[in-house]
Amino acid sequence: DLDGADLRGADLRGAHLGGAHLGGAYLRGADLRRADLRGAHLGGAYLDGADLRRADLDGALRGSDAPAGWVIRDERLTREVTEER
């Protein structure tokens, strides 16, 4: 259980995190290249700037647990900003 863990800038290349509970974890700028995140619970995780090249995210960014407003752009997860009028 890594809910709320502070992993900012951590080197997690190739880590086996499939099914891990990462809700509310701070993963800003973390290196998650080739990490196994299949089925990980990422709801509320802070992932801006995380490097996700070749990471396996199967099932991790789906359903109600997926972090709202996030998109994968240029192989990095970034928050999609929308203006309310």
Side-chain angles (χ1 to χ4, degrees), residues 6 29 32-33 36 40 46-47 53 64-65 77-79:
D6 187 351
L32 291 159
R33 287 178 285 173
D36 176 3
Y46 299 91
L47 293 159
R53 286 179 281 179
S64 61
D65 189 46
L77 195 63
T78 55
R79 190 157 189 80

Side-chain angles (χ1 to χ4, degrees), residues 18-45:
H21 290 266
L22 292 161
Y26 294 90
L27 291 157
R28 287 183 175 139
D31 189 343
L32 291 159
R33 287 178 285 173
R34 297 183 185 268
D36 176 3
L37 292 163
R38 289 176 290 176
H41 304 275
L42 296 172

Side-chain angles (χ1 to χ4, degrees), residues 4 10 12-14 17 21 25 36-37 39 45 47 49-50 52 58 60 65-66 69 82-83:
L12 297 168
R13 286 176 287 182
L17 297 168
H21 290 266
D36 176 3
L37 292 163
L47 293 159
L52 296 165
D58 187 37
D65 189 46
T82 57
E83 282 188 39

